[in-house]
Amino acid sequence: DTAEQPPQQKSKLANVVILATGGTIAGAGASTANSATYQAAKVGVDKLIAGVPELATLANVRGEQVLQIASESITNENLLQLGKRVAELADSPDVDGIVITHGTDTLEETAYFLNLVEKTEKPIVVVGSMRPGTAMSADGMLNLYNAVAVASNPESKGKGVLVTMNDEIQSGRDVSKMINIKTEAFKSPWGALGMVVEGKSYWFRLPAKRHTQNSEFDIRQISSLPQVDIAYAYGNVNDTAYKALAQSGAKAIIHAGTGNGSVSSKVVPALQALRKDGVQIIRSSHVNAGGFVLRNAEQPDDKYDWVVAHDLNPQKARILAMVGLTKTNDSKELQRMFWEY
Ligand SMILES: NC(=O)CC[C@H](N)C(=O)O
């Protein structure tokens, strides 16, 4: 509400744009007891903003509805559309920060994607909620308030894409949804960057990996993303999924491996053959609290010309592989990217 503040005070506030994409933060349930059973992506961005009038004390906030979906249904085209809109806004001199409301299922993928391709120092904050706004103890209001607080704060500049969930400020590169039934859902194996408490940010560490303004990738130069898929490893696994994914056109296959990205002896020959056919093989780990894959441990990656995903989980490895493949199909270059980003 523009009438609330005198103009001189108003002009001092940062301008923050909220790009809404759906998810539980825009969800609605039948009763206040429905914390887990509800429909995602129901509430429009204007209603979301109106639901947290305190946002007006933090920033001049306006909203845009980019998508209205549950995030498990996000496509590569949706990612590109969102990424290009973020870049346009970041280029605009009257935008100081950008908030993206997002379903939590693939929030970590979108946050990492933007972290790789947005050439800006301006704060970009991705946020969701674990309970719909209609539920008791809904977490979306405070998460959104915290997101706008972080996005409007000049201290947030140059720190890469950030995620504000459960009062923590997380790096969009590191953070992952670790449990789906608690509001304390998002964790990084390497810890949060900071806390946001009553609208104030407290920072403790900074991302060490390349991101945003220091990235070699630029959303404005990416018009499509190549097909990259994930195959899951487990005891008694066979090579059916890997072969089928390659046959359907995958340019790279992310091996969601056990332990240190280990590969079953039943699968190794198929992966060797696929690599010879030109498919990139990227070994990651699906260890829950955070995998860490070492090159030439478990498997002779140099000999097979495979890539390791470092500490990226399979879904994040897929994002970097897609973005990397827009620049190169050289496995050594891809490996360099997996160490640097
Ligand atoms: N908590 C959530 O946001 C999950 C809702 C939905 N599955 C989504 O990711 O959009």
Side-chain angles (χ1 to χ4, degrees):
D1 187 342
T2 48
E4 269 173 26
Q5 292 157 338
Q8 66 276 22
Q9 191 185 342
K10 178 117 187 126
S11 66
K12 285 199 194 111
L13 288 176
N15 297 322
V16 170
V17 181
I18 299 181
L19 299 179
T21 71
T24 296
I25 195 165
S31 88
T32 57
N34 285 125
S35 61
T37 310
Y38 55 85
Q39 280 193 286
K42 284 277 140 200
V43 179
V45 65
D46 291 337
K47 205 168 161 200
L48 272 189
I49 293 171
V52 193
E54 296 81 0
L55 296 180
T57 66
L58 298 171
N60 302 313
V61 172
R62 67 178 175 86
E64 278 179 35
Q65 194 76 46
V66 178
L67 304 167
Q68 186 64 297
I69 59 172
S71 70
E72 61 270 25
S73 300
I74 199 162
T75 63
N76 287 350
E77 291 68 36
N78 294 151
L79 271 185
L80 291 175
Q81 180 195 349
L82 176 65
K84 285 179 188 292
R85 186 62 190 134
V86 169
E88 281 169 10
L89 290 168
D91 273 347
S92 162
D94 60 3
V95 174
D96 299 302
I98 298 156
V99 168
I100 296 136
T101 61
H102 201 288
T104 56
D105 288 2
T106 63
L107 188 152
E108 66 200 79
E109 299 178 37
T110 297
Y112 186 44
F113 176 72
L114 299 174
N115 192 62
L116 293 172
V117 300
E118 299 297 337
K119 301 287 286 179
T120 181
E121 290 206 352
K122 290 183 185 175
I124 300 169
V125 183
V126 190
V127 66
S129 76
M130 298 306 295
R131 296 174 181 149
T134 47
M136 288 184 272
S137 291
D139 53 331
M141 273 177 84
L142 182 54
N143 287 349
L144 183 61
Y145 180 79
N146 287 342
V148 172
V150 171
S152 60
N153 183 352
E155 283 176 22
S156 309
K157 279 188 190 172
K159 293 184 166 73
V161 172
L162 303 167
V163 172
T164 55
M165 296 287 290
N166 200 42
D167 299 355
E168 291 176 327
I169 309 171
Q170 300 275 1
S171 161
R173 177 201 184 267
D174 297 341
V175 78
S176 184
K177 188 177 187 175
M178 304 297 272
I179 185 162
N180 63 300
I181 199 71
K182 293 183 181 180
T183 50
E184 187 185 8
F186 280 76
K187 290 283 162 198
S188 156
W190 318 122
L193 301 181
M195 294 290 299
V196 51
V197 183
E198 296 182 351
K200 189 168 164 25
S201 299
Y202 299 86
W203 299 94
F204 295 102
R205 58 189 104 248
L206 293 173
K209 300 291 189 181
R210 288 176 74 178
H211 60 76
T212 55
Q213 71 274 16
N214 295 320
S215 173
E216 71 203 82
F217 310 113
D218 185 341
I219 186 70
R220 289 165 293 203
Q221 273 137 41
I222 301 176
S223 53
S224 69
L225 292 167
Q227 182 185 337
V228 176
D229 289 305
I230 302 172
Y232 202 90
Y234 46 91
N236 203 49
V237 68
N238 62 59
D239 59 15
T240 309
Y242 300 86
K243 287 177 174 165
L245 292 172
Q247 202 145 39
S248 79
K251 301 287 179 286
I253 294 175
I254 310 298
H255 169 69
T258 39
N260 179 9
S262 50
V263 188
S264 161
S265 55
K266 278 203 242 173
V267 170
V268 168
L271 296 196
Q272 288 177 286
L274 291 175
R275 181 69 201 105
K276 288 213 168 75
D277 288 346
V279 179
Q280 298 287 350
I281 303 299
I282 299 170
R283 289 198 300 122
S284 70
S285 167
H286 65 57
V287 169
N288 293 325
F292 194 107
V293 182
L294 293 162
R295 200 170 163 82
N296 297 316
E298 294 284 352
Q299 292 292 333
D301 298 296
D302 287 348
K303 185 171 156 206
Y304 295 164
D305 195 25
W306 293 349
V307 172
V308 298
H310 192 17
D311 66 320
L312 294 179
N313 67 24
Q315 57 273 30
K316 285 178 188 273
R318 174 183 167 270
I319 296 289
L320 180 55
M322 289 194 302
V323 172
L325 283 168
T326 65
K327 286 241 168 184
T328 182
N329 194 26
D330 180 320
S331 61
K332 291 195 177 56
E333 267 291 276
L334 288 172
Q335 185 63 73
R336 173 188 64 76
M337 291 165 180
F338 272 89
W339 296 133
E340 289 183 7
Y341 292 89

